[in-house]
Amino acid sequence: MSRETVVFESWRGKYSDSPRAVSERLGELRPDLRRIWVVSGPDVQLPDDVERVVRNTPAYFLRIASARYFLSNDMMPRYPLKTRRTTYVQLWHGTPLKRIGFDVPDAKYAGADVYTRRLAKDVRRWDHLVSPNRFSTGKLRQAFRYAGSVLEIGYPRNDVLSGPGADDLRAKVRAELGLAPSTRAVLYTPTWRDDALTGSAAPNPLAAEAEQVLGGLPDDTVLLFRFHHLVAATSPVPRHPRVIDVSDHPDIQALYLAADLMITDYSSTMFDFAVTGRPMVFYTYDLAGYRDQLRGFYFDLEAEAPGPLVTTADELTAALADTDGLRRRYAPAYEAFRRRYCHLDDGRATDRLIEEVFS
């Protein structure tokens, strides 16, 4: 009797995110399943107990078409590969602050029309959509025009943030990055701008301001730049002894654990990082344009943010210099934020998914 096959795809060929968390847990609980990972090429590192298939090859299309389960955090290929025997679990990739899917007004990025047509086709294939919290469930249904099964269970990728191995993983990643125990690591995770894909977006200001900001902070502060994968290749990271480029790091959850503080803007990283309880600063230098013209929001960030919104390098430096003050002033807002968006981040989301889908 042949083994049932599970095909995993994350970010068009990376070993990462919620598909990775589910795959690794299935290896422990369901060794009878054949797990196959879609990779972008031979350089992607995988554990020894899974198979690989290279994206967009004939074998890739065959594996998806014959799979019993397909788990992804993005869309399937544009070709109609899903059969009725395949259960397609759409894990998606973030609690939405910014509008997504069909809710994006007058999308500004190149290829938007093609994307929305592909999205509509993909949504019709979903058997389950994973939601990270109560807030997201309604927003995801609305944004994707989806009326099927929603598994409101939390994101499997975040289990590690509150799991028993969190401290060990933090120490391991910091050592790999060359961070001393006394170093204060500040992770920077800006989202992408839709107009970046057309070449009309303004350059990221912190890349030019890093020396100024670091000059106003203690020498033990290091900036970890993590650009969005859609724009990382065209987003220069400043050359500075206290700046580390982590855009290619395969596991952002590990970077959350390694960091002592995070700077972001409108990225869904804010919801994941909140599980750690560590301070956040929001560098929202283009807030009005992004919120009112480029993308639009699902809630009022200024009212709910668990940290200060700053718009200049001087304001950013001042916020980063007062970590204790950040914790004290934003403790009530942070707790409210966690109650609303992190109530399912209890380290058991992966087990809940496996129970729902694979039992």
PDB file of all heavy atoms in Angstrom, residues 98-128:
ATOM      1  N   LYS A  98      -2.976  45.898   6.918  1.00  0.00           N
ATOM      2  CA  LYS A  98      -3.200  46.476   5.595  1.00  0.00           C
ATOM      3  C   LYS A  98      -4.168  45.616   4.796  1.00  0.00           C
ATOM      4  O   LYS A  98      -4.240  44.402   4.976  1.00  0.00           O
ATOM      5  CB  LYS A  98      -1.872  46.608   4.851  1.00  0.00           C
ATOM      6  CG  LYS A  98      -1.058  45.334   4.732  1.00  0.00           C
ATOM      7  CD  LYS A  98       0.287  45.628   4.086  1.00  0.00           C
ATOM      8  CE  LYS A  98       1.111  44.367   3.888  1.00  0.00           C
ATOM      9  NZ  LYS A  98       1.676  43.864   5.151  1.00  0.00           N
ATOM     10  N   ARG A  99      -4.929  46.259   3.943  1.00  0.00           N
ATOM     11  CA  ARG A  99      -5.930  45.549   3.156  1.00  0.00           C
ATOM     12  C   ARG A  99      -5.256  44.561   2.203  1.00  0.00           C
ATOM     13  O   ARG A  99      -4.183  44.829   1.671  1.00  0.00           O
ATOM     14  CB  ARG A  99      -6.812  46.536   2.387  1.00  0.00           C
ATOM     15  CG  ARG A  99      -7.670  47.368   3.316  1.00  0.00           C
ATOM     16  CD  ARG A  99      -8.686  48.226   2.576  1.00  0.00           C
ATOM     17  NE  ARG A  99      -9.492  48.975   3.529  1.00  0.00           N
ATOM     18  CZ  ARG A  99     -10.585  48.492   4.117  1.00  0.00           C
ATOM     19  NH1 ARG A  99     -11.006  47.274   3.827  1.00  0.00           N
ATOM     20  NH2 ARG A  99     -11.260  49.224   4.982  1.00  0.00           N
ATOM     21  N   ILE A 100      -5.922  43.431   1.999  1.00  0.00           N
ATOM     22  CA  ILE A 100      -5.363  42.360   1.188  1.00  0.00           C
ATOM     23  C   ILE A 100      -6.412  41.847   0.214  1.00  0.00           C
ATOM     24  O   ILE A 100      -7.590  42.182   0.296  1.00  0.00           O
ATOM     25  CB  ILE A 100      -4.850  41.200   2.070  1.00  0.00           C
ATOM     26  CG1 ILE A 100      -5.991  40.650   2.942  1.00  0.00           C
ATOM     27  CG2 ILE A 100      -3.670  41.638   2.911  1.00  0.00           C
ATOM     28  CD1 ILE A 100      -5.623  39.395   3.711  1.00  0.00           C
ATOM     29  N   GLY A 101      -5.949  40.992  -0.703  1.00  0.00           N
ATOM     30  CA  GLY A 101      -6.864  40.328  -1.623  1.00  0.00           C
ATOM     31  C   GLY A 101      -7.720  41.285  -2.422  1.00  0.00           C
ATOM     32  O   GLY A 101      -7.237  42.282  -2.969  1.00  0.00           O
ATOM     33  N   PHE A 102      -9.011  41.001  -2.469  1.00  0.00           N
ATOM     34  CA  PHE A 102      -9.932  41.814  -3.263  1.00  0.00           C
ATOM     35  C   PHE A 102     -10.317  43.118  -2.560  1.00  0.00           C
ATOM     36  O   PHE A 102     -11.037  43.942  -3.133  1.00  0.00           O
ATOM     37  CB  PHE A 102     -11.190  41.003  -3.578  1.00  0.00           C
ATOM     38  CG  PHE A 102     -10.912  39.744  -4.339  1.00  0.00           C
ATOM     39  CD1 PHE A 102     -11.050  38.504  -3.736  1.00  0.00           C
ATOM     40  CD2 PHE A 102     -10.467  39.796  -5.649  1.00  0.00           C
ATOM     41  CE1 PHE A 102     -10.782  37.338  -4.435  1.00  0.00           C
ATOM     42  CE2 PHE A 102     -10.188  38.637  -6.356  1.00  0.00           C
ATOM     43  CZ  PHE A 102     -10.341  37.402  -5.744  1.00  0.00           C
ATOM     44  N   ASP A 103      -9.825  43.310  -1.319  1.00  0.00           N
ATOM     45  CA  ASP A 103     -10.115  44.545  -0.596  1.00  0.00           C
ATOM     46  C   ASP A 103      -9.148  45.679  -0.925  1.00  0.00           C
ATOM     47  O   ASP A 103      -9.344  46.807  -0.471  1.00  0.00           O
ATOM     48  CB  ASP A 103     -10.066  44.304   0.919  1.00  0.00           C
ATOM     49  CG  ASP A 103     -11.301  43.588   1.436  1.00  0.00           C
ATOM     50  OD1 ASP A 103     -12.283  43.480   0.686  1.00  0.00           O
ATOM     51  OD2 ASP A 103     -11.283  43.140   2.598  1.00  0.00           O
ATOM     52  N   VAL A 104      -8.080  45.378  -1.667  1.00  0.00           N
ATOM     53  CA  VAL A 104      -7.095  46.420  -1.985  1.00  0.00           C
ATOM     54  C   VAL A 104      -7.705  47.378  -3.002  1.00  0.00           C
ATOM     55  O   VAL A 104      -8.047  46.967  -4.121  1.00  0.00           O
ATOM     56  CB  VAL A 104      -5.796  45.820  -2.535  1.00  0.00           C
ATOM     57  CG1 VAL A 104      -4.799  46.933  -2.868  1.00  0.00           C
ATOM     58  CG2 VAL A 104      -5.191  44.852  -1.535  1.00  0.00           C
ATOM     59  N   PRO A 105      -7.845  48.640  -2.655  1.00  0.00           N
ATOM     60  CA  PRO A 105      -8.478  49.583  -3.577  1.00  0.00           C
ATOM     61  C   PRO A 105      -7.511  50.032  -4.669  1.00  0.00           C
ATOM     62  O   PRO A 105      -6.423  50.532  -4.382  1.00  0.00           O
ATOM     63  CB  PRO A 105      -8.842  50.764  -2.666  1.00  0.00           C
ATOM     64  CG  PRO A 105      -7.819  50.716  -1.570  1.00  0.00           C
ATOM     65  CD  PRO A 105      -7.456  49.267  -1.378  1.00  0.00           C
ATOM     66  N   ASP A 106      -7.881  49.792  -5.933  1.00  0.00           N
ATOM     67  CA  ASP A 106      -7.089  50.299  -7.055  1.00  0.00           C
ATOM     68  C   ASP A 106      -5.620  49.929  -6.875  1.00  0.00           C
ATOM     69  O   ASP A 106      -4.748  50.787  -6.764  1.00  0.00           O
ATOM     70  CB  ASP A 106      -7.247  51.824  -7.163  1.00  0.00           C
ATOM     71  CG  ASP A 106      -6.607  52.377  -8.432  1.00  0.00           C
ATOM     72  OD1 ASP A 106      -6.459  51.612  -9.395  1.00  0.00           O
ATOM     73  OD2 ASP A 106      -6.244  53.567  -8.426  1.00  0.00           O
ATOM     74  N   ALA A 107      -5.326  48.624  -6.832  1.00  0.00           N
ATOM     75  CA  ALA A 107      -3.974  48.135  -6.563  1.00  0.00           C
ATOM     76  C   ALA A 107      -2.959  48.780  -7.492  1.00  0.00           C
ATOM     77  O   ALA A 107      -3.165  48.882  -8.709  1.00  0.00           O
ATOM     78  CB  ALA A 107      -3.937  46.625  -6.718  1.00  0.00           C
ATOM     79  N   LYS A 108      -1.839  49.225  -6.904  1.00  0.00           N
ATOM     80  CA  LYS A 108      -0.861  50.020  -7.636  1.00  0.00           C
ATOM     81  C   LYS A 108       0.302  49.197  -8.208  1.00  0.00           C
ATOM     82  O   LYS A 108       1.123  49.724  -8.941  1.00  0.00           O
ATOM     83  CB  LYS A 108      -0.270  51.096  -6.705  1.00  0.00           C
ATOM     84  CG  LYS A 108      -1.286  52.047  -6.095  1.00  0.00           C
ATOM     85  CD  LYS A 108      -1.917  52.940  -7.135  1.00  0.00           C
ATOM     86  CE  LYS A 108      -2.674  54.109  -6.523  1.00  0.00           C
ATOM     87  NZ  LYS A 108      -3.747  53.680  -5.629  1.00  0.00           N
ATOM     88  N   TYR A 109       0.416  47.936  -7.851  1.00  0.00           N
ATOM     89  CA  TYR A 109       1.605  47.202  -8.258  1.00  0.00           C
ATOM     90  C   TYR A 109       1.430  46.581  -9.650  1.00  0.00           C
ATOM     91  O   TYR A 109       0.319  46.309 -10.113  1.00  0.00           O
ATOM     92  CB  TYR A 109       1.961  46.114  -7.238  1.00  0.00           C
ATOM     93  CG  TYR A 109       0.849  45.128  -6.950  1.00  0.00           C
ATOM     94  CD1 TYR A 109       0.703  43.976  -7.688  1.00  0.00           C
ATOM     95  CD2 TYR A 109      -0.055  45.374  -5.916  1.00  0.00           C
ATOM     96  CE1 TYR A 109      -0.316  43.067  -7.421  1.00  0.00           C
ATOM     97  CE2 TYR A 109      -1.074  44.474  -5.638  1.00  0.00           C
ATOM     98  CZ  TYR A 109      -1.197  43.325  -6.394  1.00  0.00           C
ATOM     99  OH  TYR A 109      -2.206  42.443  -6.118  1.00  0.00           O
ATOM    100  N   ALA A 110       2.577  46.353 -10.310  1.00  0.00           N
ATOM    101  CA  ALA A 110       2.555  45.750 -11.635  1.00  0.00           C
ATOM    102  C   ALA A 110       1.996  44.334 -11.546  1.00  0.00           C
ATOM    103  O   ALA A 110       2.342  43.568 -10.651  1.00  0.00           O
ATOM    104  CB  ALA A 110       3.966  45.722 -12.217  1.00  0.00           C
ATOM    105  N   GLY A 111       1.129  43.981 -12.483  1.00  0.00           N
ATOM    106  CA  GLY A 111       0.560  42.643 -12.508  1.00  0.00           C
ATOM    107  C   GLY A 111      -0.620  42.450 -11.582  1.00  0.00           C
ATOM    108  O   GLY A 111      -1.031  41.309 -11.332  1.00  0.00           O
ATOM    109  N   ALA A 112      -1.204  43.520 -11.066  1.00  0.00           N
ATOM    110  CA  ALA A 112      -2.309  43.404 -10.111  1.00  0.00           C
ATOM    111  C   ALA A 112      -3.508  42.691 -10.715  1.00  0.00           C
ATOM    112  O   ALA A 112      -4.158  41.878 -10.057  1.00  0.00           O
ATOM    113  CB  ALA A 112      -2.710  44.789  -9.610  1.00  0.00           C
ATOM    114  N   ASP A 113      -3.815  42.965 -11.978  1.00  0.00           N
ATOM    115  CA  ASP A 113      -4.975  42.329 -12.610  1.00  0.00           C
ATOM    116  C   ASP A 113      -4.768  40.824 -12.727  1.00  0.00           C
ATOM    117  O   ASP A 113      -5.687  40.034 -12.469  1.00  0.00           O
ATOM    118  CB  ASP A 113      -5.220  42.940 -13.992  1.00  0.00           C
ATOM    119  CG  ASP A 113      -5.717  44.377 -13.915  1.00  0.00           C
ATOM    120  OD1 ASP A 113      -6.174  44.772 -12.824  1.00  0.00           O
ATOM    121  OD2 ASP A 113      -5.641  45.082 -14.927  1.00  0.00           O
ATOM    122  N   VAL A 114      -3.573  40.430 -13.113  1.00  0.00           N
ATOM    123  CA  VAL A 114      -3.274  38.996 -13.225  1.00  0.00           C
ATOM    124  C   VAL A 114      -3.360  38.342 -11.855  1.00  0.00           C
ATOM    125  O   VAL A 114      -3.906  37.236 -11.708  1.00  0.00           O
ATOM    126  CB  VAL A 114      -1.874  38.789 -13.840  1.00  0.00           C
ATOM    127  CG1 VAL A 114      -1.485  37.311 -13.798  1.00  0.00           C
ATOM    128  CG2 VAL A 114      -1.842  39.312 -15.268  1.00  0.00           C
ATOM    129  N   TYR A 115      -2.843  39.028 -10.836  1.00  0.00           N
ATOM    130  CA  TYR A 115      -2.866  38.472  -9.478  1.00  0.00           C
ATOM    131  C   TYR A 115      -4.298  38.224  -9.001  1.00  0.00           C
ATOM    132  O   TYR A 115      -4.598  37.167  -8.445  1.00  0.00           O
ATOM    133  CB  TYR A 115      -2.150  39.409  -8.514  1.00  0.00           C
ATOM    134  CG  TYR A 115      -2.270  38.978  -7.067  1.00  0.00           C
ATOM    135  CD1 TYR A 115      -1.426  38.006  -6.542  1.00  0.00           C
ATOM    136  CD2 TYR A 115      -3.236  39.533  -6.231  1.00  0.00           C
ATOM    137  CE1 TYR A 115      -1.547  37.585  -5.219  1.00  0.00           C
ATOM    138  CE2 TYR A 115      -3.367  39.121  -4.910  1.00  0.00           C
ATOM    139  CZ  TYR A 115      -2.519  38.160  -4.412  1.00  0.00           C
ATOM    140  OH  TYR A 115      -2.647  37.744  -3.098  1.00  0.00           O
ATOM    141  N   THR A 116      -5.174  39.184  -9.200  1.00  0.00           N
ATOM    142  CA  THR A 116      -6.544  39.018  -8.696  1.00  0.00           C
ATOM    143  C   THR A 116      -7.270  37.894  -9.427  1.00  0.00           C
ATOM    144  O   THR A 116      -8.071  37.169  -8.821  1.00  0.00           O
ATOM    145  CB  THR A 116      -7.344  40.326  -8.798  1.00  0.00           C
ATOM    146  OG1 THR A 116      -7.301  40.819 -10.147  1.00  0.00           O
ATOM    147  CG2 THR A 116      -6.777  41.374  -7.858  1.00  0.00           C
ATOM    148  N   ARG A 117      -6.994  37.713 -10.722  1.00  0.00           N
ATOM    149  CA  ARG A 117      -7.608  36.595 -11.446  1.00  0.00           C
ATOM    150  C   ARG A 117      -7.085  35.264 -10.912  1.00  0.00           C
ATOM    151  O   ARG A 117      -7.862  34.308 -10.727  1.00  0.00           O
ATOM    152  CB  ARG A 117      -7.330  36.712 -12.945  1.00  0.00           C
ATOM    153  CG  ARG A 117      -8.091  37.828 -13.635  1.00  0.00           C
ATOM    154  CD  ARG A 117      -8.109  37.644 -15.140  1.00  0.00           C
ATOM    155  NE  ARG A 117      -6.765  37.665 -15.727  1.00  0.00           N
ATOM    156  CZ  ARG A 117      -6.149  38.776 -16.135  1.00  0.00           C
ATOM    157  NH1 ARG A 117      -6.747  39.950 -16.001  1.00  0.00           N
ATOM    158  NH2 ARG A 117      -4.948  38.724 -16.666  1.00  0.00           N
ATOM    159  N   ARG A 118      -5.796  35.193 -10.672  1.00  0.00           N
ATOM    160  CA  ARG A 118      -5.219  33.961 -10.113  1.00  0.00           C
ATOM    161  C   ARG A 118      -5.738  33.703  -8.705  1.00  0.00           C
ATOM    162  O   ARG A 118      -6.007  32.556  -8.337  1.00  0.00           O
ATOM    163  CB  ARG A 118      -3.690  34.074 -10.075  1.00  0.00           C
ATOM    164  CG  ARG A 118      -3.006  33.895 -11.412  1.00  0.00           C
ATOM    165  CD  ARG A 118      -1.513  33.725 -11.208  1.00  0.00           C
ATOM    166  NE  ARG A 118      -1.243  32.542 -10.402  1.00  0.00           N
ATOM    167  CZ  ARG A 118      -0.089  32.343  -9.757  1.00  0.00           C
ATOM    168  NH1 ARG A 118       0.870  33.255  -9.802  1.00  0.00           N
ATOM    169  NH2 ARG A 118       0.083  31.244  -9.044  1.00  0.00           N
ATOM    170  N   LEU A 119      -5.885  34.773  -7.921  1.00  0.00           N
ATOM    171  CA  LEU A 119      -6.382  34.606  -6.558  1.00  0.00           C
ATOM    172  C   LEU A 119      -7.799  34.040  -6.558  1.00  0.00           C
ATOM    173  O   LEU A 119      -8.116  33.123  -5.788  1.00  0.00           O
ATOM    174  CB  LEU A 119      -6.340  35.946  -5.826  1.00  0.00           C
ATOM    175  CG  LEU A 119      -6.864  35.937  -4.378  1.00  0.00           C
ATOM    176  CD1 LEU A 119      -6.044  34.992  -3.513  1.00  0.00           C
ATOM    177  CD2 LEU A 119      -6.838  37.357  -3.799  1.00  0.00           C
ATOM    178  N   ALA A 120      -8.660  34.570  -7.409  1.00  0.00           N
ATOM    179  CA  ALA A 120     -10.042  34.076  -7.467  1.00  0.00           C
ATOM    180  C   ALA A 120     -10.066  32.594  -7.809  1.00  0.00           C
ATOM    181  O   ALA A 120     -10.840  31.814  -7.219  1.00  0.00           O
ATOM    182  CB  ALA A 120     -10.835  34.879  -8.499  1.00  0.00           C
ATOM    183  N   LYS A 121      -9.211  32.198  -8.722  1.00  0.00           N
ATOM    184  CA  LYS A 121      -9.138  30.788  -9.102  1.00  0.00           C
ATOM    185  C   LYS A 121      -8.612  29.948  -7.948  1.00  0.00           C
ATOM    186  O   LYS A 121      -9.110  28.833  -7.689  1.00  0.00           O
ATOM    187  CB  LYS A 121      -8.229  30.648 -10.324  1.00  0.00           C
ATOM    188  CG  LYS A 121      -8.171  29.256 -10.916  1.00  0.00           C
ATOM    189  CD  LYS A 121      -7.331  29.281 -12.189  1.00  0.00           C
ATOM    190  CE  LYS A 121      -7.314  27.924 -12.866  1.00  0.00           C
ATOM    191  NZ  LYS A 121      -6.522  27.954 -14.118  1.00  0.00           N
ATOM    192  N   ASP A 122      -7.632  30.462  -7.245  1.00  0.00           N
ATOM    193  CA  ASP A 122      -7.026  29.713  -6.146  1.00  0.00           C
ATOM    194  C   ASP A 122      -8.008  29.531  -4.998  1.00  0.00           C
ATOM    195  O   ASP A 122      -8.113  28.445  -4.419  1.00  0.00           O
ATOM    196  CB  ASP A 122      -5.767  30.432  -5.651  1.00  0.00           C
ATOM    197  CG  ASP A 122      -4.831  29.508  -4.905  1.00  0.00           C
ATOM    198  OD1 ASP A 122      -4.332  28.547  -5.510  1.00  0.00           O
ATOM    199  OD2 ASP A 122      -4.597  29.744  -3.699  1.00  0.00           O
ATOM    200  N   VAL A 123      -8.731  30.581  -4.656  1.00  0.00           N
ATOM    201  CA  VAL A 123      -9.675  30.520  -3.537  1.00  0.00           C
ATOM    202  C   VAL A 123     -10.712  29.419  -3.765  1.00  0.00           C
ATOM    203  O   VAL A 123     -11.112  28.731  -2.824  1.00  0.00           O
ATOM    204  CB  VAL A 123     -10.360  31.890  -3.333  1.00  0.00           C
ATOM    205  CG1 VAL A 123     -11.532  31.774  -2.376  1.00  0.00           C
ATOM    206  CG2 VAL A 123      -9.347  32.903  -2.813  1.00  0.00           C
ATOM    207  N   ARG A 124     -11.110  29.223  -4.993  1.00  0.00           N
ATOM    208  CA  ARG A 124     -12.099  28.183  -5.295  1.00  0.00           C
ATOM    209  C   ARG A 124     -11.556  26.781  -5.004  1.00  0.00           C
ATOM    210  O   ARG A 124     -12.337  25.834  -4.845  1.00  0.00           O
ATOM    211  CB  ARG A 124     -12.542  28.288  -6.755  1.00  0.00           C
ATOM    212  CG  ARG A 124     -13.379  29.523  -7.057  1.00  0.00           C
ATOM    213  CD  ARG A 124     -14.083  29.414  -8.394  1.00  0.00           C
ATOM    214  NE  ARG A 124     -13.155  29.414  -9.524  1.00  0.00           N
ATOM    215  CZ  ARG A 124     -12.740  30.509 -10.159  1.00  0.00           C
ATOM    216  NH1 ARG A 124     -13.155  31.717  -9.765  1.00  0.00           N
ATOM    217  NH2 ARG A 124     -11.917  30.423 -11.190  1.00  0.00           N
ATOM    218  N   ARG A 125     -10.247  26.641  -4.925  1.00  0.00           N
ATOM    219  CA  ARG A 125      -9.638  25.335  -4.657  1.00  0.00           C
ATOM    220  C   ARG A 125      -9.466  25.043  -3.167  1.00  0.00           C
ATOM    221  O   ARG A 125      -9.234  23.899  -2.793  1.00  0.00           O
ATOM    222  CB  ARG A 125      -8.257  25.264  -5.316  1.00  0.00           C
ATOM    223  CG  ARG A 125      -8.224  25.439  -6.815  1.00  0.00           C
ATOM    224  CD  ARG A 125      -6.789  25.637  -7.260  1.00  0.00           C
ATOM    225  NE  ARG A 125      -6.650  25.680  -8.710  1.00  0.00           N
ATOM    226  CZ  ARG A 125      -5.546  26.080  -9.331  1.00  0.00           C
ATOM    227  NH1 ARG A 125      -4.502  26.481  -8.628  1.00  0.00           N
ATOM    228  NH2 ARG A 125      -5.483  26.086 -10.640  1.00  0.00           N
ATOM    229  N   TRP A 126      -9.547  26.065  -2.329  1.00  0.00           N
ATOM    230  CA  TRP A 126      -9.245  25.865  -0.915  1.00  0.00           C
ATOM    231  C   TRP A 126     -10.262  24.933  -0.255  1.00  0.00           C
ATOM    232  O   TRP A 126     -11.474  25.083  -0.428  1.00  0.00           O
ATOM    233  CB  TRP A 126      -9.273  27.197  -0.169  1.00  0.00           C
ATOM    234  CG  TRP A 126      -8.242  28.195  -0.612  1.00  0.00           C
ATOM    235  CD1 TRP A 126      -7.220  28.010  -1.500  1.00  0.00           C
ATOM    236  CD2 TRP A 126      -8.147  29.554  -0.185  1.00  0.00           C
ATOM    237  NE1 TRP A 126      -6.500  29.164  -1.662  1.00  0.00           N
ATOM    238  CE2 TRP A 126      -7.041  30.129  -0.869  1.00  0.00           C
ATOM    239  CE3 TRP A 126      -8.874  30.346   0.687  1.00  0.00           C
ATOM    240  CZ2 TRP A 126      -6.665  31.460  -0.683  1.00  0.00           C
ATOM    241  CZ3 TRP A 126      -8.501  31.670   0.876  1.00  0.00           C
ATOM    242  CH2 TRP A 126      -7.407  32.217   0.207  1.00  0.00           C
ATOM    243  N   ASP A 127      -9.741  24.015   0.547  1.00  0.00           N
ATOM    244  CA  ASP A 127     -10.604  23.188   1.387  1.00  0.00           C
ATOM    245  C   ASP A 127     -10.656  23.722   2.809  1.00  0.00           C
ATOM    246  O   ASP A 127     -11.680  23.591   3.489  1.00  0.00           O
ATOM    247  CB  ASP A 127     -10.112  21.737   1.387  1.00  0.00           C
ATOM    248  CG  ASP A 127     -10.235  21.092   0.024  1.00  0.00           C
ATOM    249  OD1 ASP A 127     -11.383  20.883  -0.413  1.00  0.00           O
ATOM    250  OD2 ASP A 127      -9.203  20.813  -0.607  1.00  0.00           O
ATOM    251  N   HIS A 128      -9.559  24.313   3.262  1.00  0.00           N
ATOM    252  CA  HIS A 128      -9.505  24.945   4.576  1.00  0.00           C
ATOM    253  C   HIS A 128      -8.630  26.195   4.473  1.00  0.00           C
ATOM    254  O   HIS A 128      -7.617  26.191   3.775  1.00  0.00           O
ATOM    255  CB  HIS A 128      -8.889  24.022   5.637  1.00  0.00           C
ATOM    256  CG  HIS A 128      -9.570  22.710   5.799  1.00  0.00           C
ATOM    257  ND1 HIS A 128     -10.815  22.575   6.380  1.00  0.00           N
ATOM    258  CD2 HIS A 128      -9.165  21.457   5.462  1.00  0.00           C
ATOM    259  CE1 HIS A 128     -11.158  21.297   6.395  1.00  0.00           C
ATOM    260  NE2 HIS A 128     -10.178  20.607   5.849  1.00  0.00           N
TER     261      HIS A 128
END
